[in-house]
Amino acid sequence: MTNTYRELVVGGVLIAPIVSYAAVALLAFLLLRPLLRFVGFASWFSNPSLAELSLYVAMFGLLALFF
């Protein structure tokens, strides 16, 4: 079973699906950040920036895997 990818067409230019997954993951992560600040996510880690990057990469990977 092969997965058929649908390219995003913007102004006649084909954009790879991986770029759209990255954009959706970034949008979801930016919407999630206020909630993370509210619950004190940064205080759980010694390097909060790396933890946020890891969370983004996990979200991106899940999008690429399931869609």
Side-chain angles (χ1 to χ4, degrees):
M1 185 168 137
T2 60
N3 192 2
T4 59
Y5 297 108
R6 293 185 178 180
E7 291 87 8
L8 179 65
V9 180
V10 177
V13 177
L14 294 175
I15 298 176
I18 196 103
V19 175
S20 60
Y21 297 153
V24 169
L26 181 62
L27 178 65
F29 179 72
L30 289 176
L31 292 174
L32 187 65
R33 275 187 93 184
L35 178 66
L36 294 175
R37 287 205 176 133
F38 179 73
V39 298
F41 181 78
S43 64
W44 301 343
F45 299 96
S46 60
N47 191 346
S49 299
L50 187 60
E52 287 181 351
L53 176 65
S54 299
L55 183 61
Y56 168 75
V57 169
M59 291 169 64
F60 172 68
L62 287 173
L63 278 173
L65 182 65
F66 291 118
F67 292 104

